[in-house]
Amino acid sequence: IMMYKVALSVLITFCVCMSNNSCQGFSLHTSKTAAHRTSMMSASNSDGVVYDEPSKLLVSSFHQISLASDPEAKLRLILASQSPRRTEILEMMGLGGRFTASPSPLDEEKLQIELSQQEISPSDYARTLAERKAHAYAAEALEITNGVALIIGSDTIVDLDGHIMEKPTDEKVAHSMLSSLSGNWHQVHTGVAVYAVGASASSNEPQLMFSFTDTAKVKFASLTDRDIKAYIDTREPFDKAGSYGIQGIGGQLVESISGDFFTVMGLPMHRLSRELTDVIKNLDL
């Protein structure tokens, strides 16, 4: 009862102070600037949402991307890749029906040999492959007469202590890769590049709009030889860098991951969303 009376007394005192706009022991500032009030409101919000900034993600720009079937398209998206995983990621982003996919004409094997003879980091290696894939496709797409086409190129590699792992050429190579990854951390680098071409672009040549490499760290479980052979028998490893696919059966081999899951799968969804949004904002459509 005594605690109740004390609390009631404090409440009454506070209400009186509020009605007088001043009180010893309370500091009431009724003439705060609008900016300060906004700051105070933002500070009091716990949802982490910023309400007074333009959109940063592609989900807010879908209306600016034309349907792939539209002959009068102002903005086309083209994925220069035959990877079903990258196609799946774009569809998961909500871009189904708003892009086309076909392989880049780049002689990838020749470029890989060329890069292997240079002193280049695994991260730059992935980004360079992505740029060259997108540029090779863009150079053949200059006949686009209306609108702008954004050509997306990408490449994913596995990096074990600086050693680059591409796709395995046979079962022996796949077994060697998986044995090396077993029980260890490794990095997965996915390079992404986007070129712009078309009548509405500011140049007749393909323009590099952005390129980057996103990296994730992956920890493999300790695998038995029986597990490795059984996984190889599924045939899943043979079109995947490092001989595994995290989105498929190979996900069982992964103990933990630090970074973007989609980077390991083949296309960093969040980073691509932000970068494409910035490009679209600056296009004169």
Side-chain angles (χ1 to χ4, degrees):
I1 297 175
M2 180 61 68
M3 291 179 64
Y4 174 82
K5 289 182 178 179
V6 170
L8 183 60
S9 175
V10 171
L11 180 59
I12 293 172
T13 303
F14 178 77
C15 292
V16 171
C17 291
M18 289 293 289
S19 66
N20 294 333
N21 276 350
S22 64
C23 184
Q24 202 170 28
F26 289 90
S27 179
L28 303 178
H29 303 281
T30 58
S31 59
K32 297 183 184 293
T33 64
H36 186 65
R37 285 196 299 270
T38 301
S39 175
M40 293 291 286
M41 289 174 64
S42 297
S44 66
N45 287 336
S46 60
D47 57 10
V49 177
V50 180
Y51 295 99
D52 57 348
E53 289 189 11
S55 61
K56 293 182 178 180
L57 299 176
L58 199 61
V59 65
S60 301
S61 303
F62 284 164
H63 64 285
Q64 292 182 267
I65 304 172
S66 305
L67 293 173
S69 58
D70 184 358
E72 302 298 323
K74 291 184 177 181
L75 177 60
R76 309 168 190 265
L77 286 183
I78 301 173
L79 176 64
S81 173
Q82 58 185 353
S83 165
R85 292 167 295 283
R86 294 190 180 108
T87 293
E88 182 182 0
I89 290 171
L90 289 184
E91 290 175 345
M92 290 170 69
M93 290 175 70
L95 293 171
R98 296 184 183 275
F99 73 96
T100 57
S102 56
S104 169
L106 177 72
D107 186 340
E108 190 172 340
E109 184 175 350
K110 180 180 178 181
L111 178 58
Q112 288 171 345
I113 294 173
E114 176 188 327
L115 293 176
S116 68
Q117 298 170 349
Q118 303 176 13
E119 290 188 5
I120 185 171
S121 69
S123 177
D124 288 343
Y125 180 96
R127 178 181 51 77
T128 300
L129 276 167
E131 289 178 355
R132 296 284 284 273
K133 284 180 180 180
H135 183 273
Y137 192 103
E140 294 190 356
L142 293 175
E143 73 279 2
I144 293 175
T145 57
N146 63 294
V148 176
L150 296 179
I151 316 297
I152 305 171
S154 185
D155 191 80
T156 300
I157 61 169
V158 168
D159 167 12
L160 179 62
D161 300 327
H163 174 67
I164 295 172
M165 293 182 174
E166 292 279 5
K167 299 172 184 176
T169 53
D170 55 38
E171 291 186 9
K172 184 177 180 180
V173 174
H175 191 285
S176 176
M177 287 183 178
L178 292 168
S179 297
S180 297
L181 295 173
S182 175
N184 294 315
W185 281 95
H186 63 272
Q187 293 182 309
V188 178
H189 307 287
T190 292
V192 179
V194 168
Y195 276 84
V197 295
S200 297
S202 58
S203 170
N204 291 328
E205 295 297 319
Q207 300 173 70
L208 178 62
M209 307 307 290
F210 64 82
S211 66
F212 63 85
T213 300
D214 199 75
T215 299
K217 295 180 180 180
V218 180
K219 173 65 164 31
F220 255 34
S222 294
L223 308 175
T224 66
D225 190 62
R226 184 174 181 177
D227 290 332
I228 292 173
K229 288 179 178 178
Y231 181 52
I232 292 173
D233 286 344
T234 68
R235 315 308 294 175
E236 186 179 82
F238 292 102
D239 65 338
K240 296 170 181 66
S243 301
Y244 76 96
I246 195 171
Q247 74 289 343
I249 301 170
Q252 299 178 52
L253 315 182
V254 175
E255 193 171 277
S256 60
I257 177 175
S258 175
D260 188 347
F261 170 89
F262 295 103
T263 293
V264 185
M265 186 172 170
L267 200 61
M269 183 187 291
H270 176 74
R271 180 82 180 270
L272 178 61
S273 174
R274 291 179 68 102
E275 298 285 353
L276 280 176
T277 301
D278 286 343
V279 169
I280 291 171
K281 284 178 185 176
N282 294 318
L283 287 175
D284 183 19
L285 299 174

